[in-house]
Amino acid sequence: PTPPAQRSHTSAAPTPPSGPPSPAGPQIQLIPAPADGALDAAGEAVDLLLDTGRAPGDILVLTTGEQHPWAAHELSFGEDAYWAQHDARDDVFYAAAALVERASARPVVVVAVNGDGDEDKAARALPLALARAGTLLIVCGDPERINAALGAGV
C-alpha cells in the first residue's frame, strides 16, 4: 500500500508524531480510501503505529459510519464495561465518531470516514477528533469529503 500523505493543517512546521503537542496543533495525515475501504485503511494505520512503537493506549479510533467490529463486540458486554476500557487506556480504543465528545484526548486519533456519505457526520466528527488528537490525526477516506468536512485542504 501507498504510505500516507503527510500534511499539516497550519503553515507551521508539523510536530513529529512522537514529540510533544505543538501549540499549532497536531499533524494531520490523510490516507485516501473509498468509504467502503476506510475502516481497513484505519486498521492498517493502527498496525503501522503499533509496529513503530506507539503504545496501544495512545490510540483512539473513530468511525463515522458502521462501527468497528471491536467496538460492536465490546458494547455487547454493556456500556459500563466498554467505557471502563476507554478509561483504563490499556489498549487501542474504538468508538463511533458520534461519541467523540465522551472520549478523552489521546496522542493519536485515527478517523475512518466510512459509511453512506453522510457529510454532516464527518463535518461534525473531524473538528472534534482534531481537538482530541495530541500530536497526530490520521484521517482515512475520500479526500474530497475530508477536505470539505475540515473546511480546508488537508
Side-chain angles (χ1 to χ4, degrees), residues 62-64 97-98 100 111 120-131 150:
L62 302 170
T63 56
T64 62
V100 68
V111 180
D120 289 339
K121 285 182 184 178
R124 284 189 307 268
L126 289 174
L128 292 169
L130 182 61
L150 286 174

Side-chain angles (χ1 to χ4, degrees), residues 56-58 81-91 93 104 106:
D58 285 355
Y82 173 74
W83 287 104
Q85 290 184 26
H86 167 269
D87 296 340
R89 299 178 68 101
D90 291 334
D91 206 348
F93 189 77
S104 61
R106 297 219 178 173

Side-chain angles (χ1 to χ4, degrees), residues 9-40:
H9 72 289
T10 66
S11 59
T15 301
S18 58
S22 164
Q27 178 183 356
I28 300 173
Q29 291 183 359
L30 172 62
I31 300 176
D36 62 356
L39 202 52
D40 289 337

